[in-house]
Amino acid sequence: MPEDQHHHQQQLNTVSAQLSHHPQQQQQQQQQPQTATHLKMSANIKKSLRSRSTCCLLQPQKLDKIAIVFGELIATAMLMFLGCMGCINTSLFPNSHFQAALNFGFVVLICIQCFGCVSGAHLNPAVTLASYIYNMISLPMALAYFVAQMLGAFIGYGLLKAVMPENSIYSEKTPEGVCVTFIHGNLTPLQGVFIEFLITCVLISICCGVWDPRNAKFEDSVGVRFGLAVSCLSLTAGQFTGASMNPARSFAPAIWNGEWSNHWIYWTGPLLAALVTSLIYKHAFRREVEDSKLDTSAMTTKPDASEDVEIP
């Protein structure tokens, strides 16, 4: 009998031990699926975050900004390549001041026609500075424009040197390199910077006039107006300072040819002119136009029918 009781007690202990371990096993089995579920959820969250970051990079607004900067780069490269090619003057390729000035104006016309709807075709850090002061673009976009213009000018002039023979870049008439801007020997640096300042003031005045809300309906001929203006200013001042009006246009030939004589003139004059002219025009001449205001110049009136009938 004692042995039977002892055996029975062992069986009870075994059953109680199994019952005590059974909830722990159930908890472990329940925890394992929960852990796997959490891992799957974290992996899905990481994937969604990556997809969102990719989508953020491909948002329409960001793509538009990339297109704007890229368009400005191509437009400035086009300006340097075609404009400076038209300035080549050798015995084999004769040229004149009139032809070079007219060519640069036509090139500006082409660039505006191609990329004016993309980036506005500033082509010029001075114009970009004026547009920033005029509240046309933000500061980050102005900096992006500046980088695109400098890089585009560098690429455009580099392409010119790559496709043209060296004796056309360096000739008796252009020993420093074609399209390198320098002041005339009879002028002082102060006179040179003052000329660049004044002619750039004219150019920026044209820009501000085009940006004026009162001219919003007259943008069809912007390319022609700018092209003719650049030709006129180049004809007027080209023989004295090269009529750069554009730091990027002077920077690219200088860096490719290592010619930095009086180079500061072509930064100080245009940028100072852009700052002064845009501020004056913005606060003295700019006027806002209400959307509801009718353009009376475009309105036509018809006479009453009674006016067409002659009363005997």
Side-chain angles (χ1 to χ4, degrees):
M1 293 294 293
E3 292 179 358
D4 293 339
Q5 290 179 357
H6 180 69
H7 181 70
H8 182 67
Q9 186 65 34
Q10 287 181 349
Q11 289 180 350
L12 290 174
N13 292 335
T14 303
V15 171
S16 62
Q18 290 178 354
L19 291 174
S20 63
H21 288 295
H22 185 67
Q24 295 178 357
Q25 291 178 356
Q26 287 182 347
Q27 290 178 359
Q28 290 178 358
Q29 290 177 357
Q30 290 177 358
Q31 289 176 356
Q32 287 179 356
Q34 290 178 359
T35 305
T37 304
H38 286 304
L39 291 174
K40 289 181 181 179
M41 289 177 63
S42 62
N44 292 331
I45 291 171
K46 290 180 180 179
K47 288 181 181 179
S48 63
L49 289 174
R50 290 176 184 175
S51 62
R52 285 180 183 177
S53 62
T54 305
C55 292
C56 288
L57 292 175
L58 299 178
Q59 284 179 355
Q61 293 181 352
K62 295 198 179 229
L63 287 176
D64 290 343
K65 291 181 179 179
I66 293 172
I68 288 170
V69 175
F70 188 57
E72 187 70 12
L73 186 149
I74 296 176
T76 312
M78 184 185 297
L79 172 74
M80 294 304 300
F81 180 75
L82 296 177
C84 291
M85 182 181 285
C87 294
I88 292 175
N89 187 9
T90 65
S91 58
L92 292 176
F93 309 108
N95 202 341
S96 65
H97 172 62
F98 177 81
Q99 181 179 339
L102 195 64
N103 170 75
F104 245 108
F106 286 157
V107 172
V108 169
L109 187 155
I110 291 173
C111 294
I112 294 175
Q113 189 65 34
C114 293
F115 295 98
C117 59
V118 178
S119 65
H122 293 182
L123 314 172
N124 186 344
V127 175
T128 299
L129 175 60
S131 67
Y132 168 69
I133 295 172
Y134 211 70
N135 299 328
M136 301 288 293
I137 59 175
S138 63
L139 181 59
M141 281 304 295
L143 295 175
Y145 267 73
F146 175 77
V147 173
Q149 289 158 0
M150 303 306 291
L151 186 59
F154 181 82
I155 293 172
Y157 194 86
L159 288 174
L160 178 67
K161 292 196 72 172
V163 302
M164 297 302 296
E166 187 175 357
N167 59 3
S168 64
I169 303 295
Y170 305 100
S171 64
E172 295 180 357
K173 298 180 180 180
T174 56
E176 300 87 358
V178 66
C179 231
V180 173
T181 50
F182 55 91
I183 63 173
H184 193 274
N186 292 331
L187 295 177
T188 65
L190 184 60
Q191 290 172 325
V193 74
F194 197 53
I195 291 173
E196 283 291 320
F197 173 82
L198 291 176
I199 61 176
T200 310
C201 283
V202 176
L203 179 65
I204 299 301
S205 297
I206 297 170
C207 295
C208 293
V210 170
W211 298 332
D212 195 300
R214 292 169 290 185
N215 275 331
K217 297 182 179 180
F218 307 102
E219 295 183 355
D220 293 339
S221 60
V222 169
V224 176
R225 282 180 271 171
F226 271 105
L228 293 177
V230 170
S231 293
C232 174
L233 295 171
S234 298
L235 284 169
T236 303
Q239 299 181 87
F240 306 108
T241 63
S244 174
M245 302 173 283
N246 186 343
R249 177 250 181 276
S250 294
F251 173 78
I255 195 172
W256 273 104
N257 298 298
E259 182 59 45
W260 302 97
S261 178
N262 292 320
H263 184 70
W264 63 273
I265 291 174
Y266 302 100
W267 287 85
T268 306
L271 293 178
L272 187 61
L275 177 64
V276 173
T277 307
S278 58
L279 284 173
I280 292 175
Y281 196 102
K282 177 182 178 181
H283 296 290
F285 303 115
R286 177 175 175 171
R287 296 292 182 272
E288 298 296 334
V289 178
E290 296 179 0
D291 295 336
S292 59
K293 187 176 181 180
L294 296 176
D295 186 8
T296 56
S297 62
M299 294 176 62
T300 57
T301 57
K302 292 182 179 181
D304 293 335
S306 59
E307 295 179 0
D308 294 334
V309 179
E310 294 183 359
I311 300 176

